[in-house]
Amino acid sequence: MSGSAGAPAAVDEIGELTAQEERLLFDTFGNDEAWALGSLLVALARERGAAVTVGIRRGGQQLFHCALPGTSADNDAWIARKCAVVERYGESSYLVGARFRAKGRTFEESSRLDPDRYAAHGGAFPVRLRGTGVVGAVAVSGLPQADDHALVVEALERFLFPSHVVG
């Protein structure tokens, strides 16, 4: 097998990110689910003292938004750019960026998309309905990209599988 030394790690990362998306599916997703999920994300961030902004969209409508102390309008712009990637690719913004990195390229240089409108940085995750597909996105901005992504995934796991949460 040829390639860089980092190639197996990139393949493992892409496999893990893909598995998350296959596992974290909704049966329904409306305003009430957006409120409950957004509130859970805010509670997790507050527990950790994380200065983040949380945004949840379905279609073209923002269903939830909360900017915690220590954030700025820049976080709103990051959420919009990360969600644009989810909407265009139908995958998490972190997975899209990982696919480019695995090929030794950057999203900004290789996607041919306007970096003022699209950001393949971790933190936006597709809201995927079982049997339907992607209908929206849940996003966090304010932490390093891997941490933004991990916070969203943790909240989705707690929300979708509450009986599996220990502690």
Side-chain angles (χ1 to χ4, degrees):
M1 182 165 125
S2 64
S4 68
V11 169
D12 290 347
E13 179 182 44
I14 290 170
E16 180 181 332
L17 295 171
T18 301
Q20 290 171 349
E21 295 197 18
E22 291 169 355
R23 184 175 74 253
L24 300 172
L25 303 174
F26 289 82
D27 291 317
T28 61
F29 191 81
N31 298 47
D32 292 337
E33 289 83 5
W35 176 261
L37 177 59
S39 298
L40 174 60
L41 267 164
V42 169
L44 290 172
R46 286 185 190 276
E47 284 174 14
R48 294 160 193 188
V52 298
T53 297
V54 176
I56 300 178
R57 301 186 61 78
R58 184 187 61 210
Q61 184 180 21
Q62 181 174 305
L63 300 181
F64 185 93
H65 180 270
C66 181
L68 293 177
T71 62
S72 71
D74 287 344
N75 298 106
D76 294 324
W78 274 102
I79 283 178
R81 292 167 55 217
K82 291 190 253 188
C83 286
V85 167
V86 171
E87 291 163 3
R88 183 167 185 115
Y89 289 86
E91 298 178 325
S92 75
S93 54
Y94 200 44
L95 175 56
V96 172
R99 290 188 193 284
F100 278 88
R101 288 188 300 277
K103 295 176 185 172
R105 299 188 234 153
T106 67
F107 176 82
E108 293 77 12
E109 294 171 352
S110 300
S111 70
R112 301 179 57 100
L113 296 172
D114 182 352
D116 288 336
R117 294 189 53 215
Y118 297 90
H121 293 260
F125 199 93
V127 172
R128 184 172 282 124
L129 288 181
R130 194 174 272 107
T132 300
V134 177
V135 298
V138 53
V140 167
S141 174
L143 304 171
Q145 66 171 330
D147 296 337
D148 277 348
H149 179 84
L151 183 59
V152 171
V153 168
E154 179 183 348
L156 286 168
E157 287 175 343
R158 287 180 183 223
F159 184 82
L160 293 167
F161 311 111
S163 63
H164 295 111
V165 176
V166 178

